[in-house]
Amino acid sequence: MARYTGPVCRLCRREGMKLFLKGERCYTGKCAIDRRAYAPGQHGQARGKKPTDFGLQLREKQKARRIYGVMEKQFRSYFDEAARRKGVTGENLLSLLSRRLDNVVFELGFASSRPEARQLVSHGHFTINGKKVDIPSYSVRAGEVIAVKEGSKSSPRMKQLLENLGSRTVPGWLSLDANAASGTVVALPTREDIQLPIQEHLIVEKYSR
């Protein structure tokens, strides 16, 4: 299971916006994008040239990859799958990415960030319809119930997360039962349900070159 293991705050600085990869830290004054709002590296503060069309497309693709924590090869696989499906390719792509189990765990509030959600899923802390699933890329389906495993509810970190359930707005395609520490996939996500600053048409243009 390939994943990025470098410093994540520099990813936010490179994209020029908060990607919320560090959980609670992103909401404090320690956030790197608040302290150093310029690209990382030796020439980060230099005035850049006007980006080309390809540059804009590349940045949008990288932003989407980094938000969802997906490596290049896997991201391309998602795009190819989205292109094969009926409908708008860009919207299909975002829907497929949003249906990842680690993203759903984050959206329900069971983790403070997508990277933490990925780790919790990998460690087997969640069940789907009563069966343990430890694959972050698992694609959820309508009607499935994602729940915190009973044995995991007593862990200090999970207790802390469960105490704060409801602090984040749950998207309309999901429903949360805070008392049962579970959530249900009400419907598959549409573009209107995905409130992320991603211009998916630029990603489609990038791969269509």
Side-chain angles (χ1 to χ4, degrees):
M1 182 177 64
R3 62 187 178 89
Y4 175 77
T5 57
V8 296
C9 288
R10 69 184 291 121
L11 301 182
C12 297
R13 292 174 59 204
R14 184 63 190 87
E15 302 307 330
M17 62 178 292
K18 291 189 180 187
L19 303 181
F20 299 98
L21 304 177
K22 293 282 282 186
E24 289 91 347
R25 182 187 178 97
C26 299
Y27 300 93
T28 69
K30 295 181 179 180
C31 178
I33 198 74
D34 290 335
R35 293 185 297 157
R36 292 174 290 175
Y38 50 86
Q42 180 180 358
H43 305 291
Q45 298 186 67
R47 173 178 284 183
K49 298 178 182 178
K50 182 179 179 181
T52 62
D53 289 343
F54 176 81
L56 292 172
Q57 295 160 5
L58 177 62
R59 290 267 56 85
E60 209 62 27
K61 186 263 294 183
Q62 294 293 75
K63 183 202 302 181
R65 274 206 319 108
R66 288 163 175 173
I67 287 175
Y68 286 101
V70 178
M71 301 301 281
E72 178 62 39
K73 185 176 180 180
Q74 191 175 19
F75 190 85
R76 183 57 196 251
S77 295
Y78 278 119
F79 179 83
D80 291 341
E81 174 63 24
R84 286 193 295 268
R85 298 191 174 201
K86 293 181 179 179
V88 181
T89 299
E91 295 180 4
N92 290 343
L93 174 62
L94 292 185
S95 178
L96 287 170
L97 290 168
S98 296
R99 289 170 58 190
R100 286 175 56 94
L101 179 56
D102 54 1
N103 180 69
V104 174
V105 166
F106 166 71
E107 294 285 15
L108 288 170
F110 295 138
S112 63
S113 66
R114 289 181 179 85
E116 182 181 34
R118 181 188 183 110
Q119 183 181 56
L120 291 173
V121 171
S122 298
H123 290 178
H125 292 296
F126 295 94
T127 63
I128 294 182
N129 293 344
K131 296 182 179 180
K132 186 181 81 170
V133 177
D134 56 6
I135 303 172
S137 61
Y138 175 87
S139 186
V140 300
R141 290 169 288 189
E144 290 185 326
V145 178
I146 297 90
V148 178
K149 200 170 65 172
E150 282 300 323
S152 300
K153 293 180 180 178
S154 59
S155 71
R157 178 55 180 160
M158 191 58 73
K159 280 184 177 180
Q160 183 182 22
L161 290 167
L162 294 179
E163 286 173 0
N164 296 324
L165 273 185
S167 60
R168 188 188 301 123
T169 302
V170 176
W173 61 285
L174 300 171
S175 68
L176 172 67
D177 185 341
N179 293 326
S182 68
T184 302
V185 182
V186 179
L188 297 184
T190 64
R191 184 62 183 98
E192 289 71 26
D193 296 319
I194 304 168
Q195 301 299 313
L196 289 173
I198 297 175
Q199 300 180 66
E200 62 274 12
H201 69 278
L202 292 178
I203 301 174
V204 176
E205 290 173 7
K206 161 80 172 57
Y207 283 124
S208 300
R209 292 176 73 91

